[in-house]
Amino acid sequence: MAFPSEPPKIGLALGGGGARGLAHIPVLEALDDLGMKPARIAGTSIGAIMGAAYASGLSGEQLRTIVLDLFSDRNSVLSRLWKLRPKRFADVFRSGIVQFDPERVLEVFIAGYLPEMFEDLEIPLRLIATDFYGCREIDFESGPLLPAIAASIAVPALFRPVRFEGRHLIDGGVVNPLPFDGLRGHCDIIIAVDVVGAPVPREKSEDIRMLDSLFGSSQILMQTITSQKLKQDQPDILIRPPHDSIRVLDFMKAEQILNSAESLRELTKVKLTNLLEGVMEKT
C-alpha cells in the first residue's frame, strides 16, 4: 500500500447491531484524539445513526454526552416512547404486533441533532437499506437524511417498513451489516467496526422469547453475511467490541456498553498509528 504525499484518506464503515452499536463511539473518539477525520463514512442500522451524527460535525465526545443524557433517565425515555404509541387503537391489532414508525422514532429522539439533507453533512455519507420486494441493497448518498436513516434502521417486526419512491425498505443489516465495500475506491485506509454480537440466553429461562428469537436470528444472519464478505475482502482495520451479554434493545445500559467498549478507543489509535507508521517507512 502506498499513498501520495498528502495524508491518506480514511474510510469508516459502521455496522449494525442495535444497542451494541453505541460501541462505535469510542472508535469515533479515537479518530478525534488523533485529529483525523474520515474522508467518507458508510453506515448500516445503528451505524447509520452514528455515521450521520458524526458526519454532521458532532464529535465522539459530544455523541457520548448525547447518548448518556438520552438514556440516563428511564422516566424520560418512557415519556418519549409514549409519544410513539399508535394513534388509533385498531393499529395495535392490524398486524398482530405493535410496530413503530422508524422516522417518528428518530424525530422524537435525535432529529434535532441532524441536518435535513445529505448535502448539509460535513463528511460524505452512504447509508444502507434493503428493498424488501426487490431483495437487494439500496444505497442513500443524497437527498433527505431522516428517511434514509429510518429505512436503514427499520428492523423487521420492531419497525414498520419505510415506503420511499415506490419501494418498501427495511433494515440494511439484512443485506449488508458491515458496509466497508464501496469505500475502497474512494479511500486509502478502511476502518470497519463490527458490532453485531450474538444471541444471549436469559437467566433462569429455558425458553427463547419471540423477540429474542427474531433478533438472534438476525444476528446469526448478519454474522454469516459479514463472514462471507471478509473472505472476499478485508478492511485494513477491523474493530470488534468484546463479547458481552448486551441485547439488541438494551439501550438503557448505555453507560455499561460504553464502559465495556472503552478499550476500543486505544485499540483503534494503536492500530491506525501502526498502520500509518508502516506506510511511511515503506515510502
Side-chain angles (χ1 to χ4, degrees):
M1 185 188 308
F3 304 138
S5 57
E6 62 186 34
K9 295 179 180 179
I10 295 174
L12 178 64
L14 303 178
R20 294 184 88 245
L22 300 182
H24 287 311
I25 290 176
V27 177
L28 302 178
E29 290 175 320
L31 294 175
D32 292 338
D33 291 342
L34 295 173
M36 303 189 73
K37 285 290 185 183
R40 190 174 291 263
I41 300 174
T44 291
S45 205
I46 185 67
I49 296 176
M50 293 294 169
Y54 196 62
S56 73
L58 292 172
S59 67
E61 182 179 359
Q62 287 173 318
L63 276 171
R64 179 184 291 264
T65 299
I66 290 168
V67 164
L68 292 177
D69 285 348
L70 278 175
F71 299 109
S72 62
D73 183 352
R74 182 174 295 273
N75 289 333
S76 175
V77 172
L78 290 174
S79 176
R80 291 173 186 265
L81 290 174
W82 176 251
K83 297 178 183 179
L84 301 173
R85 71 191 186 282
K87 294 296 186 287
R88 298 183 304 167
F89 189 68
D91 291 341
V92 176
F93 300 100
R94 180 185 300 174
S95 61
I97 187 172
V98 176
Q99 291 181 298
F100 295 106
D101 176 350
E103 191 164 356
R104 179 65 179 145
V105 171
L106 295 172
E107 289 171 353
V108 168
F109 279 92
I110 65 160
Y113 299 102
L114 300 173
E116 293 185 4
M117 307 292 290
F118 274 84
E119 290 76 9
D120 297 323
L121 296 169
E122 295 183 6
I123 300 172
L125 176 69
R126 176 170 64 99
L127 301 183
I128 312 301
T130 302
D131 181 347
F132 184 77
Y133 290 113
C135 303
R136 65 188 184 93
E137 177 179 317
I138 298 295
D139 296 349
F140 290 91
E141 297 185 81
S142 62
L145 183 60
L146 217 59
I149 302 175
S152 189
I153 70 169
V155 176
L158 181 62
F159 293 118
R160 294 202 301 266
V162 172
R163 294 189 181 187
F164 187 80
E165 295 184 349
R167 298 186 179 97
H168 291 74
L169 304 179
I170 62 171
D171 180 23
V174 173
V175 289
N176 197 345
L178 189 61
F180 61 87
D181 50 314
L183 291 172
R184 184 70 68 187
H186 303 277
C187 303
D188 304 304
I189 293 176
I190 309 300
I191 302 173
V193 189
D194 179 10
V195 295
V196 68
V200 179
R202 291 185 179 272
E203 295 180 4
K204 301 179 182 179
S205 176
E206 297 180 359
D207 297 326
I208 301 176
R209 300 181 184 181
M210 183 188 70
L211 284 181
D212 287 340
S213 176
L214 176 66
F215 295 148
S217 298
S218 295
Q219 287 174 304
I220 294 169
L221 170 66
M222 290 192 288
Q223 282 195 7
T224 302
I225 293 172
T226 298
S227 177
Q228 291 301 312
K229 284 183 61 177
L230 291 173
K231 290 178 182 179
Q232 299 172 9
D233 188 20
Q234 290 273 340
D236 299 293
I237 297 174
L238 178 61
I239 301 292
R240 287 183 167 126
H243 181 72
D244 54 36
S245 60
I246 297 298
R247 290 182 171 81
V248 171
L249 297 181
D250 279 346
F251 287 95
M252 293 305 300
K253 297 181 179 180
E255 185 172 6
Q256 176 185 333
I257 296 168
L258 289 170
N259 289 339
S260 176
E262 189 59 34
S263 61
L264 301 185
R265 186 170 185 170
E266 188 62 29
L267 177 64
T268 301
K269 288 193 288 186
V270 168
K271 286 195 171 188
L272 183 53
T273 300
N274 288 344
L275 180 60
L276 292 172
E277 288 178 350
V279 170
M280 293 301 293
E281 289 176 359
K282 292 179 181 179
T283 56

